Amino acid sequence: MIASIRDNDELQMNAYCDGELDPASAIEFERRLADDESLKARYNRLLSLRRAVRSLPQSEVPAGLRARINSKLDTDGSALVGRPGQSVRPSQMGRPRQRRWSFQA
């Protein structure tokens, strides 16, 4: 039982960090953060890790590699990769918030 609760906490924490929780769930999670020191410590570690990853230098991907990846993705119908660090699925066009994925990731 404890493991399933912890797994749910991790999922909810990541969803909260990504802005994916609905307002009511976000408020409830914030309340839990204020009341649970263990959860707050894990949340702070996650934020630190996310900041550290974002601070890594971006490297330029060779054009040939980008072309091969785009070709494979086009064939599979998966995400299309444009400029370095950008990935957009056709179904996501026009969505207000789009993620930018790095080839480095």
Side-chain angles (χ1 to χ4, degrees):
M1 171 110 179
I2 300 277
S4 65
I5 291 172
R6 185 176 173 109
D7 291 344
N8 188 48
D9 285 349
E10 297 297 323
L11 290 171
Q12 195 170 30
M13 186 180 339
N14 281 289
Y16 178 77
C17 288
D18 292 339
E20 296 173 350
L21 292 181
D22 61 83
S25 296
I27 289 169
E28 174 62 20
F29 185 76
E30 289 167 355
R31 184 197 59 76
R32 290 187 56 223
L33 272 177
D35 294 341
D36 185 340
E37 288 300 319
S38 173
L39 182 62
K40 188 173 186 173
R42 292 194 330 250
Y43 173 72
N44 287 331
R45 281 193 301 271
L46 178 61
L47 289 181
S48 294
L49 177 62
R50 291 167 68 102
R51 280 191 293 272
V53 169
R54 285 189 188 114
S55 71
L56 292 172
Q58 296 291 314
S59 57
E60 186 61 33
V61 177
L65 175 59
R66 183 177 297 111
R68 287 194 332 254
I69 291 171
N70 278 331
S71 173
K72 179 66 176 162
L73 292 174
D74 288 342
T75 303
D76 291 346
S78 301
L80 305 174
V81 179
R83 292 174 287 154
Q86 183 179 23
S87 174
V88 180
R89 287 194 168 103
S91 62
Q92 292 176 330
M93 298 299 229
R95 283 183 55 190
R97 181 173 182 232
Q98 295 178 355
R99 289 204 175 274
R100 292 187 178 187
W101 297 102
S102 160
F103 275 93
Q104 191 175 12

